[in-house]
Amino acid sequence: MKQIIRENKAFILPMVVLLLCTLPFLFLYDKGAFSLWLNARHNTTADVCFRYITWLGDGWTITIFCVVLLFISFRKAFMVSIVSIFSALCISVIKNLVQEPRPSMYFRDMPMHYIEGLQLYHGMSFPSGHTAGACTFFFILAILSKKKSWKFLWLLPPLLVAVSRVYLLQHFLIDVWAGLLFGMIFTILLAPALMRFAEKRIPEGRSLRSIFRKEALNK
């Protein structure tokens, strides 16, 4: 675990700083304050961009990415899949235990800007599953990346997903804050064991592409 933290400071350190800087706002302001501030600054470009950015944390999108990874590396696909599944299950349990209402219920008597055609959910707001999913997915990619610059760049997608969830009035700031925190913790806890298992059981360089190539050569 220490090695994971040490080698991925480019991802972890900025995330921790951001979470710590945001923490006071969670205690000093009403949980809907940031949602109101962001909603008041809506525009057509943001409506379109955030509507699609939020899909980066969707379970189906992550599943498609995992299938694509099978053609690149079985090791990477295995690690990403297990961490993502574990995160999704844990977040689902917490959601069902907490049972917090979503912004659509919290602001139901207020004239908010809603994006036309977007399905709004009403319950199980805490924590944000999309945000946690994006954080675990892109954090594990950062861990698997050898270049330090990529480790830092993988930080951007989960942050954009977090903002999108608040902008779309699907979650509150505290929901996405917790999603980022849980996503990072789940990944740090699971990654070392998964890496050891993958190194022992899954041959390096093994992928669907390598199998298809080998079969083509044998014909």
Side-chain angles (χ1 to χ4, degrees):
M1 186 183 299
K2 291 182 179 179
Q3 183 178 354
I4 292 292
I5 296 174
R6 183 174 59 255
E7 294 179 353
N8 294 278
K9 289 181 180 179
F11 185 101
I12 297 173
L13 188 57
M15 180 69 80
V16 170
V17 170
L18 179 63
L19 292 175
L20 290 176
C21 290
T22 312
L23 187 59
F25 291 91
L26 302 180
F27 292 97
L28 295 174
Y29 296 94
D30 180 84
K31 73 173 185 178
F34 182 66
S35 299
L36 289 171
W37 180 86
L38 196 59
N39 190 260
R41 284 153 182 79
H42 67 85
N43 59 73
T44 304
T45 301
D47 286 358
V48 174
C49 290
F50 284 129
R51 183 168 188 163
Y52 291 103
I53 286 173
T54 201
W55 281 91
L56 290 175
D58 185 78
W60 285 109
T61 304
I62 293 174
T63 299
I64 292 171
F65 284 152
C66 289
V67 172
V68 172
L69 280 174
L70 288 172
F71 289 87
I72 301 172
S73 169
F74 283 159
R75 282 189 183 183
K76 292 181 179 180
F78 167 76
M79 292 185 63
V80 172
S81 299
I82 297 300
V83 173
S84 297
I85 292 171
F86 179 82
S87 175
L89 291 175
C90 290
I91 293 298
S92 179
V93 170
I94 298 172
K95 279 178 175 289
N96 281 279
L97 289 174
V98 179
Q99 289 287 349
E100 279 291 308
R102 301 247 186 173
S104 60
M105 297 298 292
Y106 190 84
F107 297 120
R108 62 182 179 275
D109 297 324
M110 298 181 64
M112 305 292 287
H113 169 70
Y114 295 101
I115 298 177
E116 186 178 354
L118 181 70
Q119 180 183 1
L120 292 174
Y121 299 100
H122 304 298
M124 296 192 294
S125 183
F126 181 90
S128 169
H130 278 69
T131 306
C135 189
T136 54
F137 178 78
F138 289 102
F139 187 13
I140 199 71
L141 289 183
I143 291 173
L144 294 171
S145 299
K146 296 181 179 179
K147 294 183 178 179
K148 289 184 177 181
S149 58
W150 276 103
K151 293 180 184 293
F152 179 76
L153 290 174
W154 287 129
L155 181 68
L156 184 60
L159 295 181
L160 288 174
V161 170
V163 175
S164 76
R165 300 309 287 167
V166 180
Y167 184 90
L168 298 174
L169 291 175
Q170 298 284 24
H171 286 286
F172 297 102
L173 177 61
I174 190 171
D175 301 334
V176 299
W177 188 93
L180 292 171
L181 178 64
F182 287 141
M184 188 167 61
I185 291 174
F186 295 155
T187 307
I188 291 174
L189 291 176
L190 282 180
L194 291 176
M195 291 181 74
R196 288 193 297 269
F197 179 88
E199 288 173 359
K200 291 180 180 179
R201 301 298 181 89
I202 305 175
E204 186 175 4
R206 193 72 166 170
S207 66
L208 287 178
R209 183 175 58 181
S210 67
I211 293 175
F212 292 151
R213 185 182 299 167
K214 184 177 180 180
E215 290 181 353
L217 292 174
N218 291 334
K219 287 183 179 180

